[in-house]
Each structure stands twice: as structure tokens, then as C-alpha cells.
């Protein structure tokens, strides 16, 4: 696993030299850290010429993505498929609506430097807007519509199945085991400060395993899903229309609930993901309705009754799962998620657990929203 993410900040790289290994148009002018992703080191590379594009350069997190060749093979397959499908739709702008992998000068989809770091490069999608939580139901609708459309477009991705880039990524049993292992090891002597959160986890673990039981019973179809639908992984255009789904590292076989649950727990929380004032944390039903409407609009007729029946639950499941992962990482010494201060992962987990409580208080309404939207979609 990666070294402590705080100690890992900010590594100094000779970005000009790294960029020279990619087939970019124009010349390197400057590079700076970009975005708020928790996983990779991401840089915006600007070129000196007005008529040349800018680029996103990423140092891939090898502590998390253990097989970079498989990772990039997936991304190349997925982006090619999306591009082929969009190219048949009039008015599509392929360079803005799909990630474009910029090849290395040796033709590969990545570059490995002399220290062993893996780098990749994408065309920068400029003039976009991005949100940590969606500001209004109209944008929530757009985000839902776009993530739903993404699933639709990938539904006919030809065999073979995509590689599983992170084993057991959303498997709750695995994350619970890892959590209790980290708790027992208590490598950083932090367990004493999280008694309330441990009780919270214990009191809900069995309910949350419900989803795993459905999977084990074979009741849900395996699809190609994005699996990391945090709402800042959809870029919007200036008019607030969904533009491009990014962060394709975890596109692999999964269940529709992974994409719905993760988007809703991130997008419909009125507070920041690491908000320290927990009273700011609230799950917003109007945003939820907007998102669900957009998602079901795109997937109209594609989902089974069993799938829609558990969509509302998936929001709770993901608030629990992501909160558990943050707390687990806090106990392990912040090795997975990038942090900017020592208690950030603890704070993040508290936000998810408070969000889950907020969902619990409104769960009947959440279920009603999904049933009435899916009844309308069937009508
Ligand atoms: P992480 O896995 O660390 O979240 P992402 O691939 O999501 O990494 O990239 C981090 C951030 O960089 C995104 O949230 C977004 O702001 C920005 N970004 C990534 N790719 C692009 C792109 N092609 N064009 C514009 N911005 C991008
Ligand atoms: C990570 O990559 P990013 O920052 O979009 C994580 C997600 C978590 C999210 C929590 C590969 O998403 O699973 O839900 O942080 N991605 C990976 O903010 O672990
Ligand atoms: Mg991201």
C-alpha cells in the first residue's frame, strides 16, 4: 500500500521532462497541481501556443492500482468504445465528451520514468464546471442523466470482461474485515478516539450486508459500471449541462447500485466531504429526486424491478461503506486517501456517518421518490 499520503505531499517532479515523453501538440509552458481527487497526483499542463490544447498529466497511484498495464488497457478500451458510440450521434464533440488518452512517444498509453513512476496524459477539457456537491436539482438531474447514459453506452462493450482494477473494491465484507484488522492493530494509537464511530459501525453492519446477500443470491445483473461516481467525476459545461465522465480507473464489472449510491451520497450532501461542523451535514431530498430522475431517465426500461427496488438503499450503503473506508484509513495511518491535515479522514468518516443518519430519517421519502419515478418511467 502507498506510503502515508500526508508525508507524500507535495512531491516535486520535473513535469517538463515527464511531458516530453508524451505526444503532445505545442510546447510545455507550465504545470501545476490540479483538482481535488484523493488518489493520483494530478497536474494541469499548459502549452505555450494559443492554438494547442492543454493537458492533464497524472502520476498513477501504484499503491492502489497494482497492475497499471491492465488499468490502462481498460481505459483505452472504454474510451474507444464511448468514442465509437458518440461518433454516431449528431452534434457530439468527441474531444470534450470522452476522455482522450494522449499516447506516449513510444506509442504506449502511459510512460514509466526512471524511478518507476507511471504517468499518463489526457487532453484537458477546458471551460468546464465541476462540483463537490450539486448546487440545485437541475444540475443533479444533469449529473444523474449523464452517469445513467454512461452505463447505457457501455452496456454493449464487447467481451472479454474488463479487468478488476481493485479487487473487492465495493465488497463490504472485505472492508469490514480490513477495518477490524486495522482497529486491532491500532498502528497509530488512534482507536481510543473513535469509540462512538466503532459503535455506529457495529450497530449497522448487519443491515448493510443486505446488498451482499442479494448479490450472493444472484438477484442482480452484473453490468459495466463506473464505480467511482463521486459527483466531481462528472464535468459540466458552462451552461450546466453534463459534459464528460472522468476518472475511469474503476470502470469494471459492478452493479447499478454502486454508481447510484456513490453519486447520491457525494452529490446530495449539503456539506463538504470533510466538514468539521457536523450540523451542516444534511441529505437533501430535492437533490436526490433530481439525481434519481436524471438517472432513471437515461436508464428508462433497462433496469429490472429488483434493481430499482434497492436504489434508495444503495445511498445508505455507500454512505456507510465510504465512511468505513475513511475511518479504516485513519486507523491505518492515512495510507490510501490523500489528506491535508492529520484528522481529515476521521472527519470525513464522521460526515458520512452523519449523512447516513440524515438518510435514515428520510428513508421512507427516498423510497417513495424512487417508486413513483420508476412507475412513471414504466407508464
Ligand atoms: P482522482 O482519482 O485522484 O480523483 P481524477 O482522474 O478524478 O483523479 O482527476 C482529478 C481531478 O482532475 C478531477 O476531479 C478533475 O478536476 C481533474 N481532471 C481529470 N481529468 C481531467 C480532464 N481530462 N480535463 C479536465 N479536468 C480533469
Ligand atoms: C476516491 O478518486 P476519487 O477522489 O474520485 C475513491 C472513491 C471514494 C472517494 C471518497 C479509487 O475517489 O472510492 O468514494 O475517494 N476512489 C478510489 O471521496 O478509491
Ligand atoms: Mg476523481
Amino acid at each position: 500500500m502507498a506510503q502515508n499520503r500526508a508525508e507524500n505531499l507535495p512531491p516535486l517532479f520535473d513535469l517538463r521532462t515527464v511531458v516530453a515523453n508524451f505526444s503532445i501538440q505545442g510546447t510545455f509552458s507550465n504545470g501545476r497541481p490540479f483538482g481535488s481527487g484523493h488518489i493520483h497526483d494530478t497536474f494541469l499542463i499548459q502549452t505555450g501556443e494559443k492554438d494547442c490544447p492543454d493537458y492533464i498529466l497524472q502520476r498513477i497511484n501504484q499503491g492502489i492500482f497494482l497492475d497499471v498495464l491492465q488499468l490502462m488497457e481498460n481505459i483505452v478500451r472504454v474510451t474507444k468504445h464511448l468514442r465509437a458510440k458518440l461518433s454516431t450521434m449528431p452534434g457530439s464533440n468527441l474531444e470534450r465528451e470522452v476522455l482522450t488518452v494522449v499516447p506516449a512517444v513510444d506509442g504506449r498509453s502511459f510512460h514509466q520514468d526512471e524511478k518507476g513512476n507511471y504517468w499518463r496524459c489526457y487532453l484537458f477539457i477546458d471551460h468546464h464546471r465541476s462540483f463537490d456537491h450539486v448546487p440545485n436539482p437541475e444540475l443533479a438531474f444533469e449529473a444523474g442523466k449523464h452517469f445513467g447514459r454512461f452505463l447505457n453506452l457501455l452496456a454493449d462493450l464487447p467481451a472479454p470482461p474488463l479487468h478488476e482494477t481493485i479487487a473487492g473494491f465495493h465488497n463490504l465484507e472485505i472492508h469490514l474485515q480490513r477495518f477490524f484488522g486495522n482497529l486491532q492493530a491500532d498502528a497509530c494509537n488512534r482507536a481510543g478516539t473513535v469509540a462512538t464511530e466503532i459503535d455506529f459501525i457495529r450497530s449497522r453492519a448487519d443491515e448493510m450486508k443486505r446488498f451482499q446477500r442479494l448479490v450472493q443470491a444472484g438477484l442482480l445483473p452484473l453490468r459495466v459500471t463506473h464505480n467511482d461516481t463521486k459527483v466531481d467525476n462528472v464535468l459540466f459545461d458552462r451552461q450546466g449541462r453534463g459534459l464528460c465522465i472522468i476518472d475511469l480507473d474503476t470502470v469494471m464489472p459492478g452493479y447499478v447500485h454502486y454508481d447510484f449510491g456513490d453519486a447520491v451520497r457525494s452529490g446530495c450532501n449539503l456539506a463538504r466531504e470533510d466538514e468539521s461542523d457536523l450540523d451542516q451535514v444534511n441529505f437533501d431530498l430535492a437533490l436526490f429526486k433530481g439525481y434519481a430522475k436524471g438517472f432513471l431517465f437515461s436508464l428508462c426500461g433497462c433496469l429490472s424491478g429488483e434493481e430499482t427496488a434497492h436504489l434508495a438503499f444503495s445511498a445508505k450503503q455507500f454512505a456507510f461503506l465510504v465512511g468505513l473506508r475513511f475511518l479504516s484509513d485513519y486507523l491505518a495511518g492515512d495510507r490510501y486517501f490523500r489528506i491535508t491535515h492529520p484528522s481529515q479522514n476521521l472527519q470525513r468518516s464522521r460526515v458520512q456517518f452523519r449523512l447516513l443518519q440524515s438518510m435514515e430519517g428520510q428513508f421512507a421519502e427516498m423510497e417513495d421518490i424512487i417508486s413513483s419515478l420508476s412507475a412513471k418511467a414504466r407508464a
Side-chain angles (χ1 to χ4, degrees):
M1 192 50 67
Q3 69 197 92
N4 180 299
R5 299 301 306 277
E7 287 164 11
N8 197 19
L9 273 177
L12 288 177
F13 299 107
D14 180 357
L15 296 176
R16 181 188 294 273
T17 304
V18 178
V19 169
N21 291 284
F22 288 94
S23 303
I24 67 160
Q25 290 174 47
T27 47
F28 177 97
S29 164
N30 62 78
R32 61 174 166 90
F34 190 81
S36 53
H38 295 342
I39 304 298
H40 305 293
D41 293 319
T42 300
F43 303 92
L44 168 61
I45 304 297
Q46 292 181 304
T47 52
E49 297 79 3
K50 276 212 172 66
D51 54 347
C52 291
D54 293 329
Y55 296 91
I56 284 285
L57 182 70
Q58 284 185 320
R59 184 174 74 118
I60 297 172
N61 186 326
Q62 277 174 264
I64 293 175
F65 295 100
L66 304 178
D67 191 328
V68 175
L69 270 66
Q70 288 194 353
L71 172 77
M72 292 311 295
E73 194 181 305
N74 274 5
I75 292 181
V76 167
R77 279 183 63 198
V78 165
T79 50
K80 267 194 185 152
H81 185 78
L82 292 172
R83 187 161 285 112
K85 296 210 77 165
L86 290 179
S87 66
T88 65
M89 298 180 193
S92 297
N93 182 339
L94 297 181
E95 293 193 345
R96 293 179 64 69
E97 294 178 26
V98 191
L99 277 181
T100 305
V101 177
V102 178
V105 288
D106 62 8
R108 293 193 298 177
S109 54
F110 57 86
H111 161 69
Q112 189 175 26
D113 69 21
E114 67 290 346
K115 292 200 176 113
N117 294 306
Y118 283 97
W119 297 86
R120 70 177 165 210
C121 185
Y122 292 121
L123 273 188
F124 178 66
I125 297 165
D126 58 6
H127 304 300
H128 71 259
R129 298 167 75 195
S130 126
F131 305 96
D132 291 335
H133 65 85
V134 272
N136 57 55
E138 292 72 36
L139 276 164
F141 177 86
E142 274 298 310
K145 194 171 95 176
H146 228 64
F147 274 124
R149 182 172 95 135
F150 184 84
L151 278 179
N152 238 336
L153 291 171
L154 288 174
D156 60 350
L157 182 78
L162 293 168
H163 302 292
E164 191 180 14
T165 54
I166 301 179
F169 186 41
H170 291 318
N171 185 314
L172 180 60
E173 292 281 359
I174 291 178
H175 287 291
L176 280 167
Q177 266 176 29
R178 210 170 274 163
F179 170 78
F180 285 113
N182 289 343
L183 180 62
Q184 198 170 21
D186 195 15
C188 302
N189 207 16
R190 290 173 163 179
T193 59
V194 297
T196 313
E197 287 72 27
I198 297 168
D199 286 348
F200 187 93
I201 288 167
R202 286 192 203 281
S203 67
R204 284 159 179 82
D206 198 50
E207 180 201 349
M208 295 300 157
K209 286 182 195 163
R210 171 175 136 188
F211 184 76
Q212 223 68 44
R213 288 193 284 268
L214 291 169
V215 168
Q216 276 153 13
L219 292 172
L220 300 171
L222 200 55
R223 298 175 178 276
V224 175
T225 46
H226 183 284
N227 295 303
D228 192 354
T229 51
K230 194 158 83 170
V231 80
D232 67 2
N233 286 331
V234 54
L235 304 183
F236 296 85
D237 68 15
R238 284 273 163 86
Q239 286 71 42
R241 285 187 301 254
L243 181 61
C244 184
I245 304 290
I246 61 166
D247 206 345
L248 304 179
D249 298 317
T250 51
V251 180
M252 57 182 165
Y255 299 96
V256 65
H257 308 86
Y258 296 166
D259 283 6
F260 186 79
D262 199 23
V264 156
R265 70 101 208 145
S266 64
C268 308
N269 175 8
L270 294 177
R272 291 156 46 98
E273 203 179 45
D274 62 351
E275 176 60 57
S276 56
D277 176 5
L278 292 181
D279 290 336
Q280 305 291 323
V281 177
N282 268 304
F283 185 73
D284 189 280
L285 272 186
L287 294 177
F288 175 74
K289 187 170 179 183
Y291 189 91
K293 215 171 173 178
F295 195 71
L296 292 172
F297 171 85
S298 286
L299 289 169
C300 170
C302 304
L303 302 183
S304 70
E306 193 68 37
E307 285 182 297
T308 40
H310 304 287
L311 286 179
F313 177 76
S314 71
K316 291 205 288 184
Q317 156 107 23
F318 266 76
F320 182 80
L321 181 65
V322 175
L324 176 75
R325 290 173 60 203
F326 282 143
L327 193 64
S328 198
D329 196 32
Y330 176 70
L331 292 173
D334 308 305
R335 288 162 179 276
Y336 189 100
F337 297 104
R338 182 197 310 287
I339 54 164
T340 52
H341 63 85
S343 58
Q344 195 172 18
N345 276 322
L346 172 60
Q347 206 54 54
R348 287 169 173 159
S349 77
R350 288 182 170 152
V351 167
Q352 292 305 310
F353 294 156
R354 178 61 76 92
L355 185 69
L356 172 52
Q357 286 177 305
S358 173
M359 291 177 189
E360 287 169 346
Q362 309 178 77
F363 193 59
E365 289 93 325
M366 289 166 67
E367 293 216 290
D368 284 349
I369 287 171
I370 298 290
S371 353
S372 79
L373 287 174
S374 40
K376 270 191 206 141
R378 278 196 306 272

